[in-house]
Amino acid sequence: MSASNGKRPPLMAERRYGAGKGARKDGGGSAPKAKGRATQAAKPRKRSARATRPAPRGPLGFAAAMVRGLMRFVLRVVWGVGWRIAMVLALVIGLGVAYYAAQLPPVTNLVDGRARGSVTLLDRDGATFAWRGDQFGGMVTADTISPHLRNAVVATEDRRFWWHPGVDPQGIASAIRINLSEGRGPLSGNGGSTITQQTAKLLCLGKPFDPETWESEAAYEADCRRTTLWRKVQEAVYAMAMEARYSKEEILTIYLNRAYLGAGTRGFEAASQRYFGKSAGQVNPAEAAMLAGLLKAPTTYAPTNNLARSQDRARVIVGLMEQQDYLSASEAEAARANPATLSATAQQDQGGYFADWVMDTGPEFFTRDTTEDVVIRTTLDPRIQTAAEQALLQVFEERVSPGSEAQAAIVVMSADGAVRAMVGGRNVSASGAFNRATQALRQTGSAFKPFIYAAALDLGMQPFDLVDDSPLTMNIPGSGSWSPENYDRRYDGMVTLTEALAESRNIPAVKISEQAGRENVRTVASMFGIDSDLAAGPALALGVSESTLLEMTGAYAGILNGGSSVTPYGLVELRLKGDDTPLMGTGGGIGERVISQEAAEKLTWMMSRVVAEGTGGRARIDGWEVAGKTGTTQGARDAWFVGFAGDYVAGVWMGYDDNRPLSGVTGGGLPATIWRETMTRVLDGQPVKPLPMRVPEPAAADTIAGAASQDVSPSNGQASDPETDRLLREMLGAPQGAEPAPAPEQRDREGLILDVLTNILGGAGN
């Protein structure tokens, strides 16, 4: 039965399932499109790709299914355990942060963490010339320092400082990537530490230095700087605790005050004062960049070590400040065009040897081991110090071969022992180095001879007395015969004492020493300040004993001041910083009289002949009276010139540290030249002042000194006190001054009597 419209009615299956994909659209006709919900219900449901994917078959399919199932299981286990571990770690970190935060003290207690204090040394005019110990210029804050300095530090060390919670994961990841790419370990090189983490390291995680626990402060700081994974974790927790306890400004304040910035400076205030002579609140962009650049490697980039290298580093910091919009393009260009330079005081960088010596002469608890900030006013004259340094450098540059390892030292002092300049080696700017002016014990050679003549003049001999410069052999008990020689192995016969000293003749020196008495010579030298062990035999006269340049120069100062001993000194006043009351004063100066003023003045005249007519000719200075003495030891291992002009006495030593012989150098050569170059600069512009010397009257032609010293002296050199000896000689009719010397037989008899009376009056041990 057909429908009235002539179309076939739909079959029951078609109504139930809809037309299949293969239903014809023509021929047999097609059903009309359903409308509304009926049409949607009839539309077949689209099956997912996963549902339609054929199931794998066989062993491979089974294995794949097993793997997928295992992975799903592992992921479920990891997730189940992982979030629990994360919760535990978060809890532990939180407890650690809370613990550290509760322990943190006020910020003001953390800004100065030095275990030792500082020493500031002032010259004679009150200007600072050296620093020792750990310098701390005083507390600064993130608000009181220059904004340029604050920005430079943040731009250099932690560009995200103002936003992170103490730890910067992005910075750590970047640092690890850089380290690995450069072939280092993940924790070696770049650390990715934030300023807060660096501050935690500076604070050593809150553990203060304990001298009973640590061998030294250096060992303590080395332990605080250890880089291990566990240490990094601790620093991260401590840093987050600081972020919880302090504001960003307070954390930055601690960092600005605790950071070490080279040249013994702790904190940016001390560094700014040390390098630029100004407060950290006054630095400009170029200076701020140089200070911030020190944080990477304080010693390497310290401008006092290498200014050019420090300026190069500062240019990098200026670039970072420009990139991070802390400086405009014009400001950055101006900073590059006008790099920071050192202050005048920092540029001088002089007096290092002198400062070390002053530190050694003061009490340890106020110098090397001080826990206080100390100020020491000294005797140093910067003009004279510069003169000595320039003279030494010039002579070595012009007159010494470039490859020479010879060393030299200079001391300049006033007649009262106040040291005005000191150079302890060719590296004139060194500090903490071996000081050849104060630490090197060297044979004095002929520079010792003035003390022989000082004793002789004080006993009544005269500059024009004659002495026989002829071969000499002495019988030394226990040693046999001894035959000294002159330096040139020539003998001049009868010469005056003045000529013998001027030409540095050895034979006359030995004879005068024996005539005056070795013990008298030893006493005079010791009282003038030669504290080293002095030879007991007749070789004493040839300068075989050792001394330091400082001792020798101080002893000559006693001759210049009229015959009184001096104690060389450099410390004038010591006080605590901020306190005007001195804790100690001058530790030296003029002491007791050693020889008479008349003897000192005659000796000064004799020493002036050394320069005018003898071995010290190279020390002459036009328009000035100069007196001094050359010295060259056996084998030319030491060369000396010590002398005085105007108000100053200066000593120069030259030699090798390993005691090798000098090649072609004597005391009258390079040492005298260095002395002249030094003193020419020292005296430049000073009013001419004559030396305190007395020109002696010519003596009788037959006055012979030392005529009886062809054999050992009557008392084997163990003479009595000079005044007692003089009285005994008067009692016995022995020659005084210009009187003729006795015959040998009479001298032996008188000597025997002198020895007996000396033992009776002074004791057998004298």
Side-chain angles (χ1 to χ4, degrees):
M1 183 176 177
S2 61
S4 60
N5 57 6
K7 294 183 178 180
R8 180 179 65 84
L11 299 177
M12 183 63 68
E14 292 174 345
R15 290 198 303 268
R16 178 175 300 172
Y17 303 110
K21 290 183 180 181
R24 292 171 57 100
K25 294 183 180 180
D26 54 359
S30 61
K33 291 183 178 181
K35 298 180 180 180
R37 291 185 179 180
T39 302
Q40 294 179 3
K43 186 176 181 179
R45 181 179 301 172
K46 184 178 180 180
R47 302 181 65 184
S48 67
R50 182 177 179 182
T52 59
R53 183 184 303 150
R57 299 177 179 274
L60 292 178
F62 179 76
M66 289 290 293
V67 170
R68 285 195 299 272
L70 181 61
M71 290 178 63
R72 285 194 294 270
F73 174 76
V74 170
L75 289 174
R76 284 196 297 269
V77 171
V78 169
W79 169 250
V81 174
W83 73 265
R84 290 174 174 83
I85 293 177
M87 290 291 293
V88 172
L89 287 176
L91 180 61
V92 171
I93 292 173
L95 290 174
V97 169
Y99 171 78
Y100 280 133
Q103 302 296 318
L104 290 170
V107 171
T108 53
N109 292 359
L110 300 176
V111 294
D112 184 5
R114 297 173 299 161
R116 60 175 182 162
S118 65
V119 179
T120 302
L121 294 110
L122 311 179
D123 61 28
R124 65 182 302 183
D125 298 322
T128 301
F129 74 91
W131 298 261
R132 292 295 183 269
D134 291 340
Q135 298 291 319
F136 180 69
M139 178 178 173
V140 295
T141 68
D143 296 327
T144 59
I145 64 167
S146 165
H148 299 302
L149 180 55
R150 181 177 62 247
N151 295 336
V153 171
V154 173
T156 305
E157 297 298 309
D158 188 1
R159 63 190 305 173
R160 287 177 287 275
F161 170 72
W162 300 108
W163 300 284
H164 62 64
V167 179
D168 184 7
Q170 182 178 346
I172 295 174
S174 176
I176 292 175
R177 176 181 57 80
I178 293 173
N179 292 336
L180 293 176
S181 66
E182 296 180 356
R184 298 190 297 263
L187 299 180
S188 301
N190 291 281
S193 296
T194 64
I195 286 178
T196 313
Q197 287 175 278
Q198 293 180 49
T199 305
K201 180 176 291 187
L202 290 173
L203 296 175
C204 205
L205 304 180
K207 299 176 182 177
F209 171 69
D210 184 358
E212 295 183 359
T213 302
W214 299 99
E215 180 181 350
S216 65
E217 186 180 5
Y220 162 77
E221 292 184 347
D223 182 76
C224 294
R225 290 192 298 266
R226 283 190 302 113
T227 301
T228 62
L229 182 59
W230 174 239
R231 191 79 176 191
K232 284 288 187 182
V233 171
Q234 289 178 296
E235 288 174 3
V237 174
Y238 197 89
M240 289 187 285
M242 292 180 66
E243 294 279 352
R245 175 71 170 80
Y246 305 129
S247 67
K248 289 286 188 179
E249 289 76 10
E250 290 175 323
I251 294 171
L252 187 58
T253 292
I254 299 172
Y255 184 69
L256 293 171
N257 286 278
R258 298 281 297 226
Y260 178 70
L261 298 168
T265 59
R266 299 279 180 172
F268 281 87
E269 178 65 16
S272 182
Q273 295 283 0
R274 174 69 175 88
Y275 300 129
F276 307 131
K278 62 174 67 173
S279 171
Q282 300 172 331
V283 296
N284 58 37
E287 294 165 340
M290 183 174 286
L291 291 174
L294 296 171
L295 292 166
K296 181 177 182 180
T299 302
T300 301
Y301 291 114
T304 49
N305 288 341
N306 190 318
L307 180 60
R309 184 166 53 201
S310 184
Q311 290 174 337
D312 290 340
R313 173 65 179 164
R315 291 188 187 94
V316 175
I317 307 305
V318 169
L320 293 175
M321 296 172 70
E322 182 181 10
Q323 291 174 10
Q324 299 175 40
D325 296 328
Y326 289 122
L327 290 178
S328 65
S330 60
E331 290 174 327
E333 184 58 32
R336 295 188 190 97
N338 300 281
T341 58
L342 292 168
S343 67
T345 300
Q347 284 179 355
Q348 289 177 350
D349 192 24
Q350 62 178 196
Y353 291 106
F354 178 90
D356 292 340
W357 170 64
V358 170
M359 292 286 287
D360 289 338
T361 59
E364 289 189 7
F365 52 86
F366 277 138
T367 54
R368 287 160 290 178
D369 298 330
T370 181
T371 57
E372 305 290 340
D373 290 326
V374 175
V375 178
I376 297 178
R377 187 161 61 88
T378 72
T379 60
L380 183 78
D381 188 319
R383 182 185 65 86
I384 298 178
Q385 178 68 32
T386 300
E389 293 175 358
Q390 291 178 348
L392 187 145
L393 293 176
Q394 177 183 328
V395 172
F396 268 85
E397 181 179 355
E398 296 178 352
R399 299 174 180 267
V400 179
S401 59
S404 173
E405 296 179 351
Q407 285 288 346
I410 304 173
V411 172
V412 182
M413 68 174 64
S414 299
D416 65 348
V419 178
R420 302 303 181 188
M422 179 181 290
V423 181
R426 289 173 62 178
N427 183 5
V428 297
S429 61
S431 62
F434 179 68
N435 190 339
R436 296 160 188 86
T438 62
Q439 295 175 289
L441 280 169
R442 310 293 297 220
Q443 285 190 349
T444 59
S446 294
F448 182 82
K449 288 176 180 174
F451 308 118
I452 300 171
Y453 291 90
L457 293 172
D458 200 49
L459 288 171
M461 297 184 193
Q462 298 299 319
F464 287 119
D465 285 356
L466 297 176
V467 60
D468 187 9
D469 179 20
S470 59
L472 170 67
T473 297
M474 298 181 64
N475 180 28
I476 310 301
S479 300
S481 62
W482 177 65
S483 301
E485 295 179 333
N486 289 328
Y487 180 77
D488 56 7
R489 296 185 179 180
R490 292 190 304 105
Y491 305 93
D492 293 339
M494 302 303 292
V495 296
T496 66
L497 271 61
T498 301
E499 292 170 338
L501 180 62
E503 297 179 9
S504 199
R505 314 303 289 175
N506 288 338
I507 300 302
V510 173
K511 291 182 177 181
I512 296 300
S513 175
E514 295 301 299
Q515 179 74 11
R518 272 177 248 150
E519 191 60 32
N520 287 335
V521 174
R522 286 164 54 90
T523 299
V524 167
S526 178
M527 292 181 67
F528 268 131
I530 308 299
D531 292 330
S532 307
D533 290 336
L534 295 171
L540 168 74
L542 304 185
V544 297
S545 304
E546 295 179 333
S547 184
T548 67
L549 179 61
L550 181 65
E551 284 182 351
M552 289 292 289
T553 309
Y556 275 54
I559 300 173
L560 175 61
N561 70 29
S564 296
S565 66
V566 303
T567 300
Y569 68 98
L571 191 155
V572 175
E573 178 183 281
L574 183 150
R575 58 182 174 82
L576 296 180
K577 192 173 184 178
D579 189 351
D580 295 332
T581 304
L583 298 179
M584 64 179 296
T586 301
I590 295 179
E592 61 182 325
R593 177 164 293 281
V594 180
I595 60 176
S596 68
Q597 183 172 344
E598 178 181 350
E601 291 174 352
K602 290 179 179 179
L603 178 59
T604 299
W605 179 82
M606 292 173 64
M607 294 172 67
S608 74
R609 299 300 89 196
V610 174
V611 177
E613 304 168 355
T615 59
R618 291 192 183 182
R620 297 173 192 159
I621 301 175
D622 292 341
W624 288 86
E625 293 179 348
V626 176
K629 184 67 187 75
T630 59
T632 308
T633 61
Q634 186 175 11
R637 289 178 170 82
D638 302 276
W640 304 72
F641 187 87
V642 188
F644 33 83
D647 293 321
Y648 300 103
V649 55
V652 177
W653 167 88
M654 188 173 177
Y656 286 101
D657 288 338
D658 59 5
N659 214 30
R660 280 180 286 160
L662 292 161
S663 178
V665 177
T666 63
L670 287 177
T673 302
I674 295 173
W675 189 95
R676 184 191 69 236
E677 293 297 329
T678 299
M679 292 300 290
T680 297
R681 291 170 169 82
V682 170
L683 299 174
D684 184 35
Q686 304 296 307
V688 175
K689 182 177 181 180
L691 289 175
M693 57 188 182
R694 182 178 304 189
V695 180
E697 294 291 335
D702 58 348
T703 302
I704 301 175
S709 57
Q710 296 290 342
D711 202 345
V712 287
S713 60
S715 56
N716 290 327
Q718 306 302 314
S720 61
D721 177 74
E723 183 62 20
T724 303
D725 193 30
R726 185 183 64 79
L727 294 173
L728 291 173
R729 290 181 184 276
E730 288 180 353
M731 293 167 57
L732 297 171
Q736 299 290 332
E739 295 181 11
E745 300 81 11
Q746 180 185 355
R747 182 68 182 85
D748 291 342
R749 184 171 61 255
E750 291 172 355
L752 179 61
I753 298 174
L754 278 172
D755 287 345
V756 173
L757 291 176
T758 298
N759 291 336
I760 294 174
L761 296 175
N766 290 347

